[in-house]
Amino acid sequence: MDSGKLLLRKPEIPTIKSATDRKQLEASSKNIELSKVIRLLEDPLTGNLKERHLFVLKKVLKRNPNGFLLKDLKSLAKVFDVCAEKSKEDPIYLPFLCEAIKLSRLPFLKERTSDELNYAQDVVHFLSHIGCLMRVPCPSVKENIVECVKSFYQCVTSRQLPDGPQPTSPGYRLQLLEQSDLSQTLVLSLASVEHRPDIKLQLLQALKLLSCSSDLNCGLMLKARGAESICLHMNESSSHGAVLFHSTEILWNLLESGNKHRVVAQLSNIECLVSLKEAFQHQLLTAVHHSELSLRNDLLVLTTLIAEHGTTLLIESLFAKLLTLLSTYPELTPTNPLIVTLKLNYSHEDLKMKKMLLNLLSLMSADIDVLQLYKEEYVLMALLLLIKPPPASPRARSASRGWSSSQSLELTVKALETLCSLTPLLLDEYMSYHGNAFVLRLMEWCIQEDDVPGQSRGFRGPGGDDKKTLMHFCVKLLTTVTSLGEEVVNEDLSDQGTIGDLLGVLMQMEASSNDDDAVVLEMISDIQLILSALCENDMHRKELFGSEGVEMAIHFLKKGGDRFYSGLGHNKLLLSTVDCVWSCIVGCYTTEDFFLAQEGVCLLLNLLCSSPKSVHSLILATLLELCDNPNTVSHLRSWRDKEGQTAPRVLLQMWRDDEAELEVQRSPEGCITDPKKPLLHKQQEDNRSLCLDGSSSAAILELMENLRSKIYLIFCAVGFHDLPGLSSEDYVTLSIVKRYLDFKVGEVWDELRAELDHDDIRPISPDRESLETICKISEETARKVMEEQTSVLQRQEKENLSQEQLTYTEIKSHWKQQELAKKSWNNYVAKTSNYEVLKEVKAQREMSRVKTEEDTIHPVKEAKLTTFEKMRVFPCSTDSHCYESCRRGLPRQRHVTVMVYTGRGYVCREG
């Protein structure tokens, strides 16, 4: 009935309308027709009218030669779904689907500008349904869908139609495609094209376009486990190379634009690893061209990312064994048939593969199960052969086939880096292959001067940076080996004369570089750490360190700590230098005495003043160890800093600073305020509650966390009396330092009592009385110290008062002198300006002179020379014989001068 109505429909009476109304009418008629088409296809009564269906569907295609309208996409998606379902029973609907999908390549059409926004959800729905058509078991439909998706990314400018609806903007469809399920659906359809390599290749191309264009598409593909699906299907095609290439490209895009962890997680299963292994092995044996070699390396990079996630499955899939065999080629003669047939061209791509294989050795070593595989394949021997220095003869260099000089340098650096990670795990193999000899030989080659023109000379000249790089990694490897603390390794290095060689290398580096070279600074620091590890527990090696090593340490101590925070490595150099003094000099009297003769203690004290607080503990510990030498005390007492402060005063100031940082209770003058807690600070008090279980003691642990214990022990060596340059504040602090050990013992007993109370344990009466007595003694000691501090402060107050009085007296005398000077000046001015005053002054002077003559001359005439004791006789200076006569008591022959005592003094008279 419906079909008859459609055929016998009465035409409408035409009316005269505008062009716009006509377009709207045509559009509405189209919309109505699509709804009727859907009804025609789905209605049970018309479901078997296939010819009618085809006629109507062709009519729909003819009415949209330039593309589909945005408002029709929702209905078209429904039409496509119905036709796809009917095509399962009858393939006559497939040509319509193919043609409709071809029309979908054209840009969608809009009637108004607002249609792009209004029908955006319909576009998303339509694109999702396009992907769902991949379920149709028809190669033509699948191929057209893939081509349709690829056409979305073709850079073709949409042409404007002369009349009617216009195409949407170029990026409109791609923007909405990210919101659809098309990417996810195409990934899921990979399994359906497994037996059609041509369509599979096109589908992979479409997925590559989707993955490289949008992060959202990558997320949708990963949601459908796209990485795993692509990896599993990369080897299932006759056109192996193209499929593998596009599959690898998609995986790369997923890693770069998607979630890297999700990609690695999807690839980290046994099936994917086997697939990767087969793909890599195929490329390894067949790759010839640059693109094929690059694809082989890309597969190796994917394997590297998986190895970072875990290596257990790599071992189970035998992929790790293949990679280990390849890493030893061509240094070791291969025995595996697969490796025997392998030929390297020693190209740049082969170099990249070799470096990635060495990197994989380090990554896979995280799994201890792979170490046995390394032992079986002699991996360490291959790495040591890679770090052999090049032959000295130019002919030998030219005759040797293999890596070029620049390639060999890169491989040597990579091999050294790999050895740094593998040697601690395979130390026995390293020692059995004489690894130290290989490293020392390479270091010797790095520092030697080449006779070949154009070659580097040490670290200078052309190629010097290459040798410096090799030296850097050699030093790193030796640092790694010696840090293990194995005596066998240290003894082997010492027997080969490493101590003297390293000292020479170190000073050569220092002489040939500046202070701003961070790499050289790091190497110098590492060499000092190596020397410290070698000499720390062996007296003979400290003697080998000798005067040359002491001069080296003195040289770096003189640099001080001014550039500690420069960011170039001076902080590490300072720490390693002090550690070198501690490990290589302290303990051997020969080197200690030479160190003291070179003013080493003074340099350490200078460093203590100029370095930050984080280094003070190490410096104080080194000074404390040096105090065992009796000659150290004189250096500590005689040292002065730039401001004239003595070592005891600096140490006492550090004590006060440390207590201020720990928030120890002290008065403003630095005195003890609580005799029950003379040393306790806030942090220690908080830790007491954590240590009540008896496992540890807060008072003992506190010794390692601050500087006070070290300062106390240094004072025990220097002494507490007759210390130069101390103030009253220093004496107050010194009284606490002197009793530091007693206070600590009291703290330990106090903690013991607190633990007993916490555990509800009551000691027996004698023990309880002893415990209480000990605690009282500690408290009484603190009170005595407080009294001593008070007396020091009082004595200082008296001295300050007397000094103040003396100062006031000097000021008063100064003012009095100024007044007298002023009065004298006024008198002088009065004499010069007033004649009467001048006459009066002159008269006073005359009277004074007359009075003086009367007092001095006349009493002499009345005086009697009765006693010889009141006379002093001096011979005439002009007659030496007269002088001898007077001296011997003989009668004088000539006159002498006699000094007569008058009661007020001696008066000259001529004899």
Side-chain angles (χ1 to χ4, degrees):
M1 293 176 60
D2 293 338
S3 61
K5 287 182 181 179
L6 288 172
L7 293 173
L8 301 176
R9 183 181 56 177
K10 184 177 179 180
E12 298 180 357
I13 300 173
T15 57
I16 300 174
K17 294 185 177 180
S18 64
T20 304
D21 295 337
R22 189 163 53 251
K23 291 178 183 178
Q24 295 177 355
L25 181 61
E26 291 176 1
S28 62
S29 64
K30 286 184 181 180
N31 193 21
I32 293 173
E33 288 178 359
L34 284 175
S35 63
K36 290 182 178 181
V37 169
I38 295 172
R39 191 177 6 168
L40 176 65
L41 294 173
E42 291 183 339
D43 197 312
L45 299 177
T46 59
N48 296 325
L49 301 177
K50 299 179 181 179
E51 294 181 359
R52 179 62 181 168
H53 294 170
L54 294 177
F55 175 77
V56 174
L57 293 174
K58 290 180 181 179
K59 191 174 181 181
V60 170
L61 295 177
K62 288 181 180 179
R63 291 188 178 183
N64 298 276
N66 298 321
F68 297 119
L69 286 170
L70 290 175
K71 65 180 182 180
D72 293 339
L73 293 180
K74 185 175 183 181
S75 300
L76 283 171
K78 182 64 176 176
V79 172
F80 291 174
D81 284 344
V82 175
C83 293
E85 291 298 327
K86 289 183 175 294
S87 66
K88 295 178 181 179
E89 300 176 358
D90 195 341
I92 63 173
Y93 295 94
L94 295 177
F96 165 75
L97 288 176
C98 293
E99 292 298 326
I101 294 171
K102 288 181 180 179
L103 282 177
S104 300
R105 302 179 190 178
L106 300 175
F108 300 138
L109 303 177
K110 60 182 178 180
E111 295 177 332
R112 300 178 181 84
T113 306
S114 60
D115 286 352
E116 292 187 357
L117 181 61
N118 295 334
Y119 296 104
Q121 194 60 38
D122 293 346
V123 177
V124 173
H125 183 73
F126 179 78
L127 294 174
S128 299
H129 277 74
I130 289 288
C132 292
L133 292 179
M134 290 292 293
R135 72 182 185 276
V136 178
C138 175
S140 299
V141 174
K142 297 178 185 292
E143 188 174 357
N144 278 286
I145 292 173
V146 174
E147 291 296 331
C148 178
V149 175
K150 292 167 63 177
S151 68
F152 293 165
Y153 294 92
Q154 294 177 358
C155 300
V156 178
T157 305
S158 302
R159 61 184 181 87
Q160 297 294 324
L161 300 177
D163 192 12
Q166 299 299 318
T168 56
S169 55
Y172 176 72
R173 187 164 47 183
L174 294 178
Q175 185 178 1
L176 296 178
L177 188 145
E178 298 176 353
Q179 304 177 22
S180 67
D181 298 334
L182 181 60
S183 304
Q184 186 175 357
T185 307
L186 292 180
V187 170
L188 295 173
S189 62
L190 272 173
S192 63
V193 296
E194 180 179 346
H195 302 291
R196 291 299 303 267
D198 53 341
I199 302 177
K200 180 180 180 181
L201 181 59
Q202 295 180 9
L203 179 58
L204 288 173
Q205 292 175 353
L207 288 173
K208 185 174 72 171
L209 290 173
L210 290 169
S211 62
C212 69
S213 63
S214 170
D215 297 349
L216 295 176
N217 288 337
C218 292
L220 291 171
M221 294 172 67
L222 290 175
K223 188 176 181 181
R225 299 192 67 82
E228 180 180 358
S229 300
I230 292 168
C231 183
L232 291 176
H233 294 90
M234 65 169 53
N235 299 316
E236 299 174 355
S237 178
S238 57
S239 57
H240 193 279
V243 172
L244 183 59
F245 174 78
H246 290 296
S247 299
T248 308
E249 287 291 324
I250 295 171
L251 292 176
W252 266 112
N253 294 335
L254 293 177
L255 283 169
E256 292 178 354
S257 303
N259 190 325
K260 177 181 176 181
H261 299 288
R262 290 181 64 182
V263 175
V264 174
Q266 290 182 19
L267 296 178
S268 298
N269 57 65
I270 192 69
E271 293 82 5
C272 289
L273 289 174
V274 171
S275 179
L276 275 175
K277 175 192 171 186
E278 293 176 357
F280 175 74
Q281 186 172 334
H282 177 269
Q283 289 298 115
L284 182 68
L285 299 176
T286 61
V288 177
H289 302 292
H290 179 270
S291 59
E292 296 172 341
L293 296 173
S294 178
L295 177 59
R296 176 198 64 188
N297 292 345
D298 290 343
L299 293 172
L300 204 55
V301 173
L302 293 174
T303 308
T304 302
L305 296 175
I306 297 173
E308 292 177 354
H309 188 265
T311 59
T312 303
L313 295 178
L314 282 173
I315 300 174
E316 295 178 1
S317 63
L318 300 180
F319 201 2
K321 184 174 180 63
L322 174 62
L323 297 173
T324 305
L325 285 171
L326 285 175
S327 65
T328 61
Y329 181 80
E331 288 73 36
L332 298 180
T333 303
T335 57
N336 189 288
L338 176 64
I339 308 300
V340 170
T341 59
L342 177 64
K343 299 296 181 182
L344 292 179
N345 297 325
Y346 300 100
S347 62
H348 180 66
E349 294 298 328
D350 290 338
L351 176 64
K352 290 174 63 176
M353 182 189 72
K354 182 69 174 180
K355 291 170 67 176
M356 284 189 286
L357 288 171
L358 296 180
N359 185 47
L360 273 167
L361 292 177
S362 299
L363 293 176
M364 292 190 297
S365 64
D367 191 344
I368 195 172
D369 296 331
V370 83
L371 298 181
Q372 183 60 35
L373 181 61
Y374 290 172
K375 295 178 183 178
E376 295 173 357
E377 302 300 336
Y378 305 99
V379 169
L380 228 60
M381 174 57 74
L383 293 175
L384 291 173
L385 291 175
L386 273 174
I387 67 172
K388 289 179 62 177
S393 173
R395 293 182 179 179
R397 295 182 187 180
S398 60
S400 61
R401 297 181 58 188
W403 308 107
S404 65
S405 58
S406 60
Q407 290 175 335
S408 298
L409 173 66
E410 293 186 42
L411 288 178
T412 303
V413 171
K414 193 63 185 177
L416 287 169
E417 186 179 354
T418 307
L419 282 170
C420 288
S421 59
L422 295 186
T423 301
L425 305 174
L426 301 170
L427 188 61
D428 294 338
E429 282 70 22
Y430 176 82
M431 295 303 300
S432 63
Y433 300 148
H434 306 287
N436 289 329
F438 281 91
V439 180
L440 294 175
R441 194 181 311 160
L442 181 59
M443 291 179 65
E444 183 181 0
W445 177 80
C446 290
I447 62 175
Q448 71 182 1
E449 296 183 354
D450 297 336
D451 297 329
V452 181
Q455 296 295 326
S456 63
R457 299 177 66 85
F459 293 131
R460 303 175 182 177
D465 290 338
D466 298 339
K467 288 191 171 185
K468 184 168 71 172
T469 303
L470 290 176
M471 177 63 74
H472 185 203
F473 282 96
C474 287
V475 172
K476 274 188 171 297
L477 178 56
L478 289 180
T479 305
T480 303
V481 172
T482 54
S483 64
L484 300 175
E486 295 291 338
E487 183 59 28
V488 178
V489 178
N490 296 343
E491 184 177 357
D492 180 64
L493 287 171
S494 178
D495 292 342
Q496 298 185 56
T498 307
I499 295 176
D501 295 341
L502 289 179
L503 287 172
V505 170
L506 191 150
M507 296 311 295
Q508 181 178 347
M509 289 180 184
E510 174 65 15
S512 61
S513 63
N514 52 39
D515 291 339
D516 295 331
D517 194 335
V519 176
V520 174
L521 288 175
E522 183 179 357
M523 283 194 286
I524 292 174
S525 302
D526 290 339
I527 290 176
Q528 289 180 342
L529 293 177
I530 295 171
L531 293 171
S532 299
L534 292 177
C535 302
E536 184 174 5
N537 300 317
D538 193 283
M539 190 64 63
H540 175 63
R541 295 172 196 163
K542 290 185 180 183
E543 293 175 353
L544 293 177
F545 187 79
S547 59
E548 184 180 359
V550 173
E551 291 176 354
M552 178 273 297
I554 292 293
H555 172 76
F556 288 104
L557 285 176
K558 287 180 179 179
K559 293 189 174 183
D562 297 334
R563 303 189 66 184
F564 189 84
Y565 292 110
S566 63
L568 298 173
H570 290 277
N571 53 346
K572 184 179 178 182
L573 177 61
L574 187 148
L575 293 171
S576 62
T577 302
V578 178
D579 183 66
C580 194
V581 173
W582 192 350
S583 303
C584 303
I585 297 177
V586 175
C588 178
Y589 284 129
T590 305
T591 54
E592 276 187 9
D593 291 340
F594 189 72
F595 181 75
L596 294 175
Q598 296 292 325
E599 301 295 333
V601 172
C602 298
L603 292 175
L604 286 175
L605 290 171
N606 292 335
L607 191 62
L608 186 66
C609 295
S610 61
S611 61
K613 188 178 183 302
S614 56
V615 193
H616 289 174
S617 180
L618 180 60
I619 299 175
L620 287 175
T622 307
L623 286 171
L624 181 59
E625 293 292 333
L626 285 170
C627 287
D628 291 340
N629 192 314
N631 299 324
T632 305
V633 177
S634 60
H635 291 270
L636 288 173
R637 284 179 170 269
S638 61
W639 176 81
R640 298 291 187 277
D641 66 355
K642 296 179 181 179
E643 299 177 357
Q645 296 186 105
T646 61
R649 186 166 189 179
V650 171
L651 293 175
L652 292 173
Q653 182 60 45
M654 291 179 62
W655 180 287
R656 289 191 292 270
D657 294 340
D658 199 34
E659 287 191 336
E661 185 177 350
L662 295 173
E663 298 182 6
V664 182
Q665 296 180 5
R666 291 287 183 263
S667 66
E669 295 80 13
C671 301
I672 299 174
T673 57
D674 188 358
K676 295 182 179 180
K677 301 176 181 178
L679 297 176
L680 193 65
H681 53 84
K682 185 178 183 300
Q683 182 181 358
Q684 183 181 353
E685 193 171 3
D686 295 338
N687 292 337
R688 276 195 170 186
S689 58
L690 303 177
C691 300
L692 289 176
D693 56 352
S695 60
S696 57
S697 170
I700 302 301
L701 293 177
E702 188 263 346
L703 296 175
M704 300 179 291
E705 297 175 356
N706 55 71
L707 309 177
R708 294 188 293 179
S709 58
K710 298 179 179 63
I711 295 175
Y712 165 74
L713 293 174
I714 291 176
F715 270 104
C716 289
V718 176
F720 296 95
H721 304 287
D722 301 329
L723 298 177
L726 297 185
S727 63
S728 59
E729 184 183 15
D730 296 329
Y731 281 111
V732 169
T733 307
L734 185 63
S735 62
I736 301 176
V737 177
K738 189 188 303 184
R739 296 293 184 178
Y740 178 76
L741 182 60
D742 297 334
F743 293 153
K744 271 297 166 186
V745 172
E747 281 187 0
V748 174
W749 283 107
D750 188 52
E751 284 183 357
L752 178 60
R753 183 173 60 179
E755 289 178 12
L756 294 176
D757 294 340
H758 179 266
D759 297 335
D760 294 331
I761 298 176
R762 182 183 179 279
I764 60 176
S765 299
D767 291 343
R768 187 175 69 254
E769 292 176 0
S770 300
L771 185 59
E772 292 177 354
T773 302
I774 292 172
C775 294
K776 287 181 180 179
I777 292 174
S778 177
E779 184 177 349
E780 290 176 359
T781 303
R783 294 187 183 279
K784 290 180 180 179
V785 172
M786 293 174 65
E787 293 176 359
E788 182 180 350
Q789 291 174 337
T790 303
S791 64
V792 170
L793 293 176
Q794 290 176 354
R795 185 167 58 252
Q796 180 63 30
E797 186 177 359
K798 290 180 181 179
E799 291 179 359
N800 293 339
L801 183 59
S802 61
Q803 187 68 26
E804 183 179 357
Q805 291 176 352
L806 181 60
T807 303
Y808 279 124
T809 304
E810 291 179 356
I811 294 173
K812 185 177 179 181
S813 175
H814 178 69
W815 280 104
K816 188 174 182 179
Q817 292 293 333
Q818 288 184 350
E819 290 176 359
L820 292 175
K822 183 178 180 181
K823 185 177 180 180
S824 175
W825 172 254
N826 292 335
N827 292 335
Y828 176 76
V829 172
K831 287 188 296 182
T832 56
S833 60
N834 193 338
Y835 181 70
E836 298 297 331
V837 175
L838 181 60
K839 290 195 299 181
E840 184 179 354
V841 171
K842 188 175 181 180
Q844 290 179 358
R845 285 181 179 177
E846 291 293 337
M847 292 177 62
S848 177
R849 184 170 56 189
V850 171
K851 186 177 180 180
T852 303
E853 290 178 353
E854 292 176 355
D855 293 339
T856 57
I857 297 176
H858 296 289
V860 173
K861 294 179 180 180
E862 297 176 358
K864 296 180 179 180
L865 302 177
T866 56
T867 58
F868 182 77
E869 291 80 3
K870 293 184 179 181
M871 294 188 300
R872 292 186 179 180
V873 181
F874 298 95
C876 179
S877 59
T878 59
D879 193 347
S880 58
H881 179 72
C882 180
Y883 167 74
E884 280 295 323
S885 300
C886 294
R887 189 175 65 85
R888 296 178 182 179
L890 301 175
R892 54 177 189 267
Q893 300 174 2
R894 301 186 64 178
H895 66 278
V896 296
T897 301
V898 180
M899 296 293 293
V900 182
Y901 183 76
T902 62
R904 296 184 179 180
Y906 287 92
V907 180
C908 296
R909 288 186 60 188
E910 186 175 349

